[in-house]
Amino acid sequence: MLFPTVTFAIFFMIVLPTSWALMRRQRAWQAFILVASYVFYAWWDWRFIFLLAASTVGNHAAAVAIHRSRSARARKLLLSTDIAFNLGLLAYFKYAGFLVSSVENGLSRLGLPSSSWVLTVTLPIGISFFTFMAMSYVVDIYRRELEPADFPRFAVYLSFFPHLVAGPIVRGSELLPQLERPRDAREIDTSRAFFLILSGLFFKVVIANQLATHIVDDVFAAPNRHSSLEVLTAVYGYAVQILADFMGYTNIAIGVALLLGFRFPQNFNSPYSATSLQDFWRRWHMTLSRWLRDYLYIGLGGNRKGKARTYVNLALTMLLGGLWHGAAWTFVVWGGLHGGGLAVERLARDVLGRRWAPRETAARRWIGRIVVFHFVCLGWIFFRASSLGAAGSVITRLFTAWGEPSPLVTTGVVLPIVVGIAANYVPARALPATFSRFGRLPAVAQAACLAVGLMLVDTLGPQGVAPFIYFRF
Amino acid sequence: MRAAAKMIAVLFLALALASLLNARSLRKMAEIQTPGTQRDVSVWFSSQLVSVSGFLRLDRPRQELKDAIGRSGDDVVDTRVALPPPPAFPGPAEHPSPHKTKARPKPRPKPAREAYTPLHPLRVWVAGDSLAEVPGTSLERLTGSNEPVDVVQTESRLATGLTRPDVFNWFTRLPAAVKQLRPRVAVLSFGADDAHDYIRGLPAGHIVGAIGSASWGAEYRRRVVGVTRELNDAGVYVVWLGIPISSSPARNARFRFIDRILSGVAKADPRGATYIDAYSLFARGGQYNAYLRGANGQLVLMRAADGVHYTTTAGDLVARTVLARLGEVFELEK
């Protein structure tokens, strides 16, 4: 079930009070929240709860075996088996068709015999997220950074419904300690939770959908029918749409978890205010980028094997990060662009030394922000386009149709773009004061504010439920 | 626990208040569900909310805002199925003969084909459910700016069809769109969201059986014929896009049933309509596969992960098929 639906609201209104009522009885609470999470997941397709269960059992068994093993060789073998198991799941569900068709097309181009059989597999919702969470848990056990949790706690950790289908990718070290003891409702910043949920709904339901339906979808589907101004606006629009869509969803997830008593890590931190590509990746999908850093980049050697190898590791990590998003060459190019950009940035830093980062001024920061934002927008063209050719058409059209009529560039499109980008520049210190004021309001006043917010979201949003970009990962 | 109780109370109160402020939206959501206990309970409950909301005038802010943004009709549930009355002597489309006749057709002189050029292009409107979107945008892209075909608009509405005017009333929209956009051709995609038992907007006292039954088929055919005739009367040639094969065999049986109705209606009056057999276009050996061989012999992903919708490549294939068919009906001079 999707967050911004009446079904989820009813589900959550049952789960929330029951969760707090059972909170002091941890075993009962764990059983209840596990059942609730599986019901949540089964709502999509009941068949996939067996996949989730298999992943839970398999990864827990591997973690316990690794922890108990005294032999370094055996531990490594168990870790490799577990990673192969998880990557095997991903490969089968996500990449089988892409890999097989790519191999067959390659064989065909070489004039070699190939079959026409291609596997068609339904993609389970959220598989990329919970598989990465499971792998990070087992690797942390292997590195002796974490002790294995008992099975019920691990099962809750992996299947906890707020993060299950679209992240954030929560580490074992972040959530498992919270699952050890009952949560204290007095420690919850409910104002922040309500703000996250409401703002998440607004960005996802209103901003993202408005841009998708009023300019982005039309332009990316047929760029040659639109002016350069419309194409440029659509590219900016997609940059805001994907941020609003994904940040909106994870903010709701973080807010929902907070109301249940659990703190999730932040996933977005004003990414379009980044002054360098490295800075961007510390602000965008933060839980994925730190996963890639800690489990892939460092695993490949990080920056410990010389400068040349560092650049290669950066590029390779981002290339694989691109592939994580989906089985298409456009994602590979997107990842490659970012990997190449990060490598070039690192190279420039290494070569220029202090000249790369002289005393920072406001002008330098703004130049950095503008350059990085446009580089990221270039990457988004590939991320959004249906093919490399389609991306090429968008890029070409950016330069070849200036002066043509631009009926799609309206206030209804420009305003959400401005709001979306401006949201990246709201000072972080402004929010706690607002939360504090809200928290001091009487309960009825708080409820009234929330109700008006929900009314605005429902009134301005589309009829029905808007799709969510990151669900296909 | 007091802190938890307060948090839960605030949330419950907020949702209760929001329900009153958005009562009309909730009622519409309840009404458009499929029949059953859940719908009955939802409709009853939301109707009480609408009454209370109206009494307290809590429905005004939403309506004022909807009026201000030009979406006043969003919460209206319109189940009218307005179709032109059947002709005095019904043709084969309304009452397909169960027996094959071998009457020799009267030879008719072939009318000259209408000619269109890039300066005077053929105006095409693509409309329908979510399966209309990708072929529609493919048609827009393939016809570009210097072609004898001009796609004036692609209007794709998720989860809509001819059986559920309460979700979106195409019977009201079609004639309005024709007046507004003045197309010569309407490429219509309906059926995938009609593949269920429930039909709304039935004439009073009329009951239909489950999909697959003669009564369901007759009612659906009546609607398809009515839409075709209404558009033909307005000077619009209709291209019915069939439903493509999907990954679900159960769904395919229903899709085939609807496709037979669409193709039958188009065959009955080839001067006014044609049918594109998307089912066969995307079946390989009669089976579903997300990958098919493209024109260059390479395997290409044609279907989305849901096993129903098209990728852009598939949309292009449908669009080219439509253009080829239009080229047979009209003179398209480049």
Side-chain angles (χ1 to χ4, degrees):
Chain A
M1 62 184 85
L2 287 167
F3 282 157
T5 58
V6 171
T7 310
F8 179 76
I10 295 170
F11 168 84
F12 192 56
M13 285 295 94
I14 297 169
V15 169
L16 183 67
T18 313
S19 170
W20 284 106
L22 292 174
M23 188 56 75
R24 290 211 174 103
R25 295 156 55 198
Q26 275 293 281
R27 285 293 183 213
W29 179 86
Q30 283 171 0
F32 169 73
I33 214 71
L34 199 56
V35 169
S37 298
Y38 271 71
V39 165
F40 178 85
Y41 195 57
W43 213 268
W44 300 104
D45 191 328
W46 61 269
R47 295 171 298 171
F48 294 132
I49 60 173
F50 299 107
L51 173 68
L52 181 59
S55 178
T56 304
V57 168
N59 283 288
H60 176 73
V64 169
I66 290 171
H67 179 71
R68 286 179 183 165
S69 173
R70 294 280 169 258
S71 153
R73 198 163 164 235
R75 296 176 82 245
K76 200 159 196 168
L77 182 63
L78 285 164
L79 176 68
S80 306
T81 307
D82 181 75
I83 289 176
F85 166 69
N86 284 296
L87 291 181
L89 281 180
L90 270 181
Y92 176 74
F93 284 105
K94 241 178 129 159
Y95 304 109
F98 173 66
L99 290 171
V100 172
S101 65
S102 296
V103 166
E104 291 201 6
N105 286 338
L107 289 173
S108 171
R109 279 197 197 100
L110 292 171
L112 295 169
S114 67
S115 79
S116 293
W117 175 82
V118 181
L119 199 57
T120 304
V121 182
T122 308
L123 179 69
I125 294 284
I127 188 171
S128 302
F129 293 94
F130 67 74
T131 309
F132 268 36
M133 278 183 58
M135 282 198 285
S136 77
Y137 173 76
V138 176
V139 171
D140 286 349
I141 300 285
Y142 174 81
R143 289 175 178 170
R144 301 199 194 280
E145 290 170 4
L146 196 62
E147 297 255 320
D150 58 28
F151 183 76
R153 255 194 324 138
F154 175 69
V156 171
Y157 157 71
L158 201 62
S159 65
F160 194 32
F161 72 87
H163 69 60
L164 179 57
V165 295
I169 302 171
V170 188
R171 301 261 176 110
S173 57
E174 289 167 326
L175 188 54
L176 288 168
Q178 299 185 66
L179 292 170
E180 273 175 9
R181 66 187 74 81
R183 314 308 302 155
D184 187 343
R186 290 169 300 182
E187 291 174 6
I188 297 173
D189 186 348
T190 52
S191 304
R192 181 165 173 262
F194 291 144
F195 171 79
L196 285 168
I197 293 170
L198 206 50
S199 65
L201 283 171
F202 180 78
F203 274 100
K204 200 231 163 309
V205 174
V206 180
I207 300 278
N209 179 73
Q210 175 75 2
L211 290 169
T213 55
H214 285 76
I215 191 163
V216 174
D217 291 351
D218 277 347
V219 169
F220 274 84
N224 56 324
R225 285 175 67 100
H226 299 279
S227 70
S228 294
L229 180 61
E230 284 178 327
V231 173
L232 182 65
T233 309
V235 171
Y236 290 154
Y238 185 68
V240 172
Q241 179 197 340
I242 191 168
L243 174 63
D245 201 55
F246 195 18
M247 181 182 71
Y249 200 91
T250 54
N251 277 0
I252 297 170
I254 294 169
V256 163
L258 205 47
L259 290 178
L260 289 167
F262 297 91
R263 285 184 214 284
F264 280 178
Q266 191 180 15
N267 216 14
F268 292 88
N269 182 18
S270 306
Y272 294 147
S273 68
T275 53
S276 69
L277 211 49
Q278 186 183 42
D279 187 24
F280 175 78
W281 281 102
R282 287 186 183 139
R283 296 167 176 273
W284 178 275
H285 202 175
M286 293 154 67
T287 57
L288 174 68
S289 52
R290 69 178 190 177
W291 193 101
L292 292 172
R293 180 196 66 207
D294 293 344
Y295 300 105
L296 196 54
Y297 176 68
I298 287 175
L300 289 170
N303 59 3
R304 299 190 308 271
K305 301 194 173 179
K307 284 183 182 166
R309 184 62 188 267
T310 301
Y311 309 141
V312 168
N313 289 341
L314 272 172
L316 200 55
T317 300
M318 292 312 297
L319 207 66
L320 291 171
L323 209 52
W324 175 88
H325 285 84
W329 291 109
T330 47
F331 293 124
V332 175
V333 168
W334 173 80
L337 262 174
H338 278 273
L342 283 167
V344 166
E345 226 178 54
R346 177 67 77 98
L347 175 66
R349 201 170 279 128
D350 290 342
V351 165
L352 296 172
R354 201 172 284 182
R355 283 174 294 163
W356 168 255
R359 190 173 58 89
E360 218 178 45
T361 62
R364 285 187 206 281
R365 275 200 299 276
W366 277 106
I367 290 169
R369 283 173 182 145
I370 291 167
V371 170
V372 169
F373 177 70
H374 284 85
F375 182 85
V376 167
C377 284
L378 173 66
W380 286 140
I381 293 174
F382 288 92
F383 196 89
R384 172 62 177 78
S386 56
S387 66
L388 296 178
S393 299
V394 171
I395 293 170
T396 307
R397 196 69 179 173
L398 271 172
F399 299 101
T400 55
W402 286 100
E404 287 189 20
S406 307
L408 293 186
V409 181
T410 61
T411 312
V413 156
V414 172
L415 190 58
I417 292 174
V418 168
V419 167
I421 294 175
N424 287 264
Y425 294 92
V426 171
R429 60 184 176 276
L431 293 176
T434 312
F435 296 157
S436 177
R437 267 197 291 274
F438 180 84
R440 287 196 295 269
L441 289 174
V444 173
Q446 288 185 27
C449 290
L450 291 174
V452 169
L454 289 171
M455 187 271 292
L456 284 172
V457 167
D458 191 65
T459 305
L460 297 173
Q463 288 200 288
V465 183
F468 170 47
I469 296 171
Y470 263 74
F471 264 8
R472 57 195 172 114
F473 310 138
Chain B
M1 289 312 288
R2 271 183 71 181
K6 184 189 173 187
M7 173 209 349
I8 292 167
V10 167
L11 206 49
F12 265 95
L13 198 53
L15 286 175
L17 210 47
S19 299
L20 289 172
L21 291 168
N22 292 318
R24 288 181 190 278
S25 167
L26 290 173
R27 184 174 63 181
K28 178 161 184 175
M29 273 194 267
E31 290 259 4
I32 65 176
Q33 289 179 84
T34 47
T37 311
Q38 183 177 315
R39 179 180 182 273
D40 295 341
V41 170
S42 309
V43 168
W44 177 85
F45 185 69
S46 56
S47 300
Q48 312 310 309
L49 283 176
V50 167
S51 302
V52 173
S53 174
F55 176 75
L56 297 172
R57 301 185 78 76
L58 288 175
D59 56 350
R60 293 310 308 159
R62 178 186 168 86
Q63 193 54 51
E64 305 266 335
L65 192 49
K66 283 282 189 190
D67 292 343
I69 60 175
R71 287 166 53 181
S72 328
D74 276 1
D75 295 335
V76 173
V77 178
D78 177 10
T79 58
R80 289 171 301 150
V81 175
L83 293 169
F89 297 98
E94 279 91 343
H95 298 287
S97 166
H99 308 293
K100 273 191 180 172
T101 56
K102 288 194 176 176
R104 202 174 292 171
K106 230 174 164 179
R108 277 186 277 188
K110 266 193 180 172
R113 295 194 297 165
E114 289 172 31
Y116 293 92
T117 64
L119 285 175
H120 170 54
L122 179 69
R123 292 172 68 82
V124 175
W125 179 50
V126 182
D129 53 27
S130 54
L131 280 170
E133 173 157 6
V134 175
T137 50
S138 288
L139 258 176
E140 289 180 26
R141 187 167 19 86
L142 291 173
T143 51
S145 54
N146 198 32
E147 295 283 331
V149 174
D150 178 26
V151 180
V152 297
Q153 189 185 77
T154 297
E155 184 170 345
S156 162
R157 294 183 184 266
L158 187 68
T160 62
L162 300 180
T163 56
R164 299 295 306 271
D166 50 333
V167 177
F168 182 78
N169 198 322
W170 280 106
F171 303 101
T172 310
R173 175 62 188 148
L174 285 166
V178 165
K179 235 184 229 175
Q180 175 197 346
L181 300 168
R182 297 173 296 109
R184 177 66 181 94
V185 172
V187 179
L188 301 181
S189 169
F190 292 114
D193 294 303
D194 292 327
H196 51 74
D197 300 336
Y198 186 46
I199 300 186
R200 281 206 79 173
L202 289 168
H206 195 63
I207 299 168
V208 297
I211 182 171
S213 65
S215 57
W216 196 102
E219 174 59 23
Y220 198 76
R221 186 176 299 112
R222 184 182 79 88
R223 296 182 183 208
V224 173
V225 167
V227 163
T228 309
R229 186 179 304 117
E230 178 152 40
L231 291 173
N232 289 166
D233 289 347
V236 179
Y237 182 81
V238 179
V239 178
W240 285 104
L241 287 182
I243 316 168
I245 190 170
S246 79
S247 59
S248 160
R251 247 192 330 236
N252 287 338
R254 297 192 291 268
F255 285 178
R256 292 290 260 167
F257 181 73
I258 293 173
D259 278 344
R260 279 194 293 273
I261 295 172
L262 298 176
S263 70
V265 168
K267 261 194 200 126
D269 187 6
R271 288 171 306 169
T274 188
Y275 170 76
I276 303 287
D277 186 3
Y279 193 96
S280 302
L281 205 56
F282 291 99
R284 211 171 72 190
Q287 302 293 317
Y288 170 85
N289 200 297
Y291 287 81
L292 293 175
R293 293 214 177 268
N296 57 3
Q298 298 280 287
L299 283 168
V300 184
L301 182 63
M302 291 287 198
R303 311 299 292 278
D306 62 11
V308 176
H309 291 87
Y310 299 120
T311 62
T312 304
T313 313
D316 288 356
L317 177 58
V318 173
R320 287 198 176 93
T321 309
V322 169
L323 285 172
R325 188 67 56 85
L326 291 177
E328 293 168 12
V329 177
F330 303 97
E331 192 72 47
L332 302 175
E333 297 163 18
K334 291 208 177 185

